[in-house]
């Protein structure tokens, strides 16, 4: 399937939606949970891995100009309900954090392509860190509903940052936790863990998001497991979110042919083996 075809799967559904804030609260010291509702059935048109552009509010001190891209954390159960889980870190998200319940905000989407989870898959491995947990949470829900076994490696700075329950949302999984605070999240330790898990039982697909360091690690590991496919949801700064401004281009390798692709339009989900590693580790 071509990158353009991936985008066209949902192009007819992209629209601007006026939403009401029905829940907005802190999950921990860094992350907030946002639930919106609108008259459009967003649950029917939004797929795991896709994102929306959010219009952050202006305050006396903060006036974010551009829309902010944000991965979907969940949809439903009501048709018009959509959820986001975000790290309050920059100007846009700090302004977003001021939204009050009962207020309104505009979002644009759904944008981008999706994770691929076909009928032949029996077990998956997900490796996530930080806000990548929110990006992959809908994938876990889809896998759980499909009867697919899940192995999860979750990485965080410290135990209080992990958000295990927020990631699983009731899905059953074989969970392995690593932290910066005790050194268990080092490249060497995570590589040993991933290899041990993949040697113990076959995983049809490995998915990741949230860390360039983990992405590059998995790219190397998967070279030794040719029967396992890998996908990554890329995180990148964006302006338009629709492929016009070219602010989110990254370098990819298609069979030896190096090409710049737009993360917002040809992605954000790509095959792990196609990502060129000339990136800053995070």
């Amino acid at each position: 399937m071509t990158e353009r075809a991936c985008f066209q799967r949902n192009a007819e559904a992209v629209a601007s939606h006026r939403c009401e804030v029905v829940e907005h609260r802190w999950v921990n010291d860094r992350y907030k949970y946002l639930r919106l509702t609108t008259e459009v059935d967003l649950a029917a048109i939004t797929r795991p891995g896709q994102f929306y552009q959010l219009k952050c509010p202006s305050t006396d001190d903060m006036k974010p100009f551009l829309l902010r891209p944000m991965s979907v954390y969940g949809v439903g159960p009501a048709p018009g309900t959509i959820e986001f889980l975000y790290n309050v870190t920059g100007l846009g998200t700090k302004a977003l954090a001021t939204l009050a319940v009962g207020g309104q905000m505009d979002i644009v989407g759904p944008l981008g392509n999706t994770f691929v989870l076909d009928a032949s898959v029996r077990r998956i491995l997900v490796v996530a860190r930080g806000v990548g947990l929110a990006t992959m949470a809908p994938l876990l829900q889809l896998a759980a509903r499909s009867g697919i076994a899940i192995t999860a490696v979750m990485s965080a700075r410290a135990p209080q940052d992990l958000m295990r329950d927020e990631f699983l949302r009731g899905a059953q999984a074989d969970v392995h936790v690593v932290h910066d605070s005790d050194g268990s999240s080092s490249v060497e330790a995570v590589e040993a863990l991933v290899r041990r898990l993949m040697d113990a039982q076959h995983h049809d697909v490995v998915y990741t998001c949230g860390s360039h360091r983990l992405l590059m690690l998995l790219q190397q590991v998967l070279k030794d497991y040719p029967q396992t496919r890998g996908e990554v949801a890329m995180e990148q700064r964006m302006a338009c979110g629709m492929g016009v401004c070219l602010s989110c281009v990254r370098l990819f390798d298609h069979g030896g042919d190096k090409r710049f692709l737009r993360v917002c339009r040809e992605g954000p989900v790509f095959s792990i083996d196609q990502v060129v590693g000339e990136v800053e580790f995070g």
Side-chain angles (χ1 to χ4, degrees):
M1 180 177 290
T2 66
E3 291 85 12
R4 182 172 175 80
C6 287
F7 181 78
Q8 289 298 322
R9 285 183 304 189
N10 74 307
E12 70 282 353
V14 176
S16 178
H17 308 283
R18 174 62 56 88
C19 301
E20 180 183 350
V21 181
V22 293
E23 187 174 357
H24 198 192
R25 56 179 170 79
W26 288 97
V27 174
N28 55 30
D29 292 339
R30 298 172 56 212
Y31 287 84
K32 291 199 80 170
Y33 166 82
L34 173 65
R35 181 160 58 96
L36 307 173
T37 186
T38 185
E39 295 180 355
V40 178
D41 186 0
L42 299 181
I45 60 175
T46 307
R47 301 289 179 265
Q50 292 185 309
F51 68 98
Y52 281 74
Q53 289 278 84
L54 276 59
K55 182 175 176 55
C56 300
S58 293
T59 69
D60 291 340
D61 300 323
M62 297 175 287
K63 301 185 184 301
F65 176 69
L66 296 172
L67 304 184
R68 291 323 196 253
M70 195 167 293
S71 298
V72 177
Y73 174 56
V75 292
T81 299
I82 190 166
E83 302 168 300
F84 301 95
L85 186 67
Y86 65 97
N87 185 7
V88 182
T89 179
L91 175 66
T93 51
K94 287 179 180 177
L96 180 61
T98 66
L99 270 175
V101 172
Q104 293 186 327
M105 73 174 305
D106 294 325
I107 65 174
V108 179
L111 298 165
N113 64 356
T114 72
F115 291 112
V116 176
L117 190 65
D118 58 47
S120 66
V121 174
R122 295 291 175 265
R123 175 177 287 274
I124 63 173
L125 170 64
V126 294
V127 184
R129 177 180 173 88
V131 76
L133 302 176
T135 303
M136 292 199 292
L139 175 67
L140 262 65
Q141 296 302 306
L142 177 59
R145 292 195 301 269
S146 303
I148 297 170
I150 302 167
T151 304
V153 176
M154 301 176 60
S155 176
R157 294 181 182 178
Q160 62 268 26
D161 296 321
L162 189 65
M163 299 190 294
R164 172 178 175 145
D165 293 341
E166 288 79 10
F167 182 44
L168 297 176
R169 308 195 82 176
Q172 297 300 306
D174 175 22
V175 179
H176 302 264
V177 173
V178 297
H179 299 114
D180 297 354
S181 57
D182 62 8
S184 59
S185 68
S186 70
V187 171
E188 296 78 13
V190 174
E191 179 176 357
L193 172 60
V194 169
R195 289 185 180 277
R196 186 166 67 250
L197 294 172
M198 295 186 69
D199 288 339
Q201 41 191 338
H202 173 68
H203 293 77
D204 297 290
V205 195
V206 175
Y207 301 94
T208 190
C209 179
S211 168
H212 289 311
R213 182 182 62 178
L214 290 177
L215 166 60
M216 294 296 104
L217 165 64
L218 292 173
Q219 189 176 75
Q220 293 302 312
V221 169
L222 286 175
K223 291 178 181 178
D224 296 329
Y225 299 86
Q227 302 305 312
T228 299
R229 185 167 58 83
E231 290 187 354
V232 55
M234 302 291 291
E235 295 181 344
Q236 193 76 353
R237 293 186 180 275
M238 301 177 187
C240 72
M242 297 182 183
V244 177
C245 70
L246 305 180
S247 67
C248 65
V249 294
R250 287 285 298 267
L251 189 61
F252 296 87
D253 186 341
H254 286 252
D257 178 22
K258 299 290 196 302
R259 290 193 284 168
F260 284 101
L261 300 175
R262 297 160 295 184
V263 171
C264 70
R265 179 151 182 157
E266 282 81 48
V269 180
F270 296 91
S271 177
I272 286 177
D273 62 5
Q274 293 178 345
V275 181
V276 174
E278 291 131 19
V279 296
E280 294 181 3
F281 286 177

